[in-house]
């Protein structure tokens, strides 16, 4: 019987019902089992790495609607994730919607760029709450914008989440203290909030992280939180 050759477009993918995955390598189609026969491993190091990645993704989803600027690298997310590696590991139990949970952390990255960084300090006195900067009025170029990010820690049905607001702040909104620009508002005394002020000039920005007095996150970075999270996922493996 004659053989017939059929031209076809090879597309990497899988057929779940057949239990196979197929892909193209060096011009040849390779078929493999879709499911590994190896038992799932969850060492202490792997668990910490997965917890860190899970929370980094959740933080990115919080920031992404506000078009955060991380222009270098393969993508904005990859640059954010690289910067977020210095943050503490957040341990959240395996529960419904826990993948959407986000916890406000000091030094959380908000932007990355070549413009001079703004040094921020919270003055939390309720009588004169303020966000202090190291900026002099003459430091700001006419083409620059100042964007203020407000992060508010909330918790609904035991699931922590961060709410975000972002707005441009005109120079006229700033007061001066010792020749430096200052924002005054009672919200800066709120212990459940964090702040970042970003300089933007065209496609350039300053590298900024969150400043906050919020300590809510310690509930999810302690040894006890780690042990409870590990137990909720079925423990560790050797």
């Amino acid at each position: 019987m004659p053989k017939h050759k059929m031209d076809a477009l090879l597309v990497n993918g899988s057929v779940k019902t057949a239990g196979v995955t197929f892909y193209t390598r060096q011009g040849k189609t390779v078929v493999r089992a879709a499911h590994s026969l190896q038992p799932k491993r969850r060492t202490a190091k792997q668990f910490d790495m997965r917890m860190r990645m899970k929370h980094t993704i959740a933080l990115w989803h919080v920031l992404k609607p506000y078009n955060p600027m991380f222009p270098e690298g393969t993508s904005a997310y990859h640059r954010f994730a690289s910067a977020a590696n210095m943050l503490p590991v957040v341990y959240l139990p395996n529960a419904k919607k826990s993948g959407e949970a986000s916890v406000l952390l000091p030094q959380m990255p908000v932007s990355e760029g070549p413009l001079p960084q703004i040094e921020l300090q919270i003055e939390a006195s309720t009588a004169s709450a303020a966000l202090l900067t190291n900026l002099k009025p003459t430091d700001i170029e006419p083409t620059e914008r100042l964007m203020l990010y407000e992060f508010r820690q909330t918790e609904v049905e035991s699931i922590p989440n961060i709410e975000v607001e972002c707005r441009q702040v005109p120079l006229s909104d700033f007061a001066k203290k010792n020749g430096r620009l200052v924002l005054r508002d009672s919200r800066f005394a709120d212990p459940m909030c964090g702040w970042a002020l970003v300089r933007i000039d065209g496609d350039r920005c300053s590298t900024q992280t969150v400043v906050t007095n919020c300590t809510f996150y310690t509930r999810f970075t302690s040894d006890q939180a780690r042990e409870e999270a590990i137990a909720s996922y079925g423990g560790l493996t050797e």
Side-chain angles (χ1 to χ4, degrees):
M1 179 179 295
K3 294 182 179 180
H4 298 281
K5 182 178 180 181
M6 180 180 295
D7 293 330
L9 176 65
L10 297 177
V11 180
N12 296 342
S14 64
V15 181
K16 291 184 179 180
T17 55
V20 297
T21 297
F22 54 93
Y23 56 93
T24 303
R25 176 184 291 174
Q26 297 179 346
K28 296 182 179 179
T29 301
V30 179
V31 181
R32 299 179 62 180
H35 305 289
S36 172
L37 298 179
Q38 296 295 325
K40 290 184 179 180
R41 300 184 68 240
R42 193 186 299 117
T43 65
K45 184 176 180 179
Q46 287 171 330
F47 184 78
D48 281 5
M49 181 176 64
R50 289 166 184 165
M51 289 291 97
R52 181 186 297 279
M53 182 180 297
K54 182 179 181 179
H55 191 242
T56 294
I57 292 171
L59 290 180
W60 178 249
H61 286 164
V62 166
L63 267 179
K64 188 177 179 181
Y66 302 92
N67 300 313
M69 298 179 70
F70 291 86
E72 300 298 328
T74 57
S75 73
Y77 167 71
H78 286 133
R79 287 304 310 156
F80 170 82
S82 177
N85 275 336
M86 56 84 180
L87 297 174
V89 180
V90 171
Y91 298 105
L92 293 161
N94 185 18
K96 186 178 180 181
K97 293 189 176 182
S98 65
E100 303 171 11
S102 51
V103 178
L104 181 59
L105 297 171
Q107 301 300 310
M108 170 186 158
V110 177
S111 63
E112 184 179 80
L115 293 183
Q117 185 177 34
I118 303 174
E119 296 177 13
L120 297 176
Q121 182 179 349
I122 298 173
E123 188 175 85
S125 168
T126 55
S128 58
L131 188 66
L132 312 179
T133 84
N134 67 329
L135 292 175
K136 295 180 291 185
T138 54
D139 290 335
I140 306 300
E141 299 293 336
T143 54
E144 282 190 43
R145 294 178 292 134
L146 293 173
M147 301 298 295
L148 180 66
Y149 287 78
E150 176 185 347
F151 301 87
R152 180 178 296 276
Q153 182 70 69
T154 64
E155 186 178 25
V156 179
E157 296 181 355
S158 299
I159 302 296
N161 283 285
I162 302 173
E163 296 176 353
V164 184
E165 292 183 14
C166 181
R167 64 181 177 91
Q168 183 174 346
V169 185
L171 281 177
S172 58
D173 282 8
F174 288 86
K176 283 191 290 186
K177 181 176 182 179
N178 299 324
R180 309 294 176 175
L181 296 178
V182 175
L183 281 173
R184 298 196 180 279
D185 194 303
S186 60
R187 291 181 299 175
F188 295 124
D190 191 330
M192 295 298 280
C193 285
W195 311 87
L197 186 65
V198 182
R199 302 176 67 168
I200 299 177
D201 191 351
D203 60 356
R204 301 183 304 152
C205 68
S206 57
T207 297
Q208 302 296 155
T209 60
V210 170
V211 293
T212 181
N213 290 329
C214 182
T215 59
F216 178 85
Y217 72 94
T218 58
R219 291 172 46 182
F220 304 97
T221 57
S222 65
D223 290 341
Q224 180 180 345
R226 185 174 186 270
E227 294 303 315
E228 290 176 356
I230 288 173
S232 74
Y233 278 89
L236 301 176
T237 59
E238 296 295 330

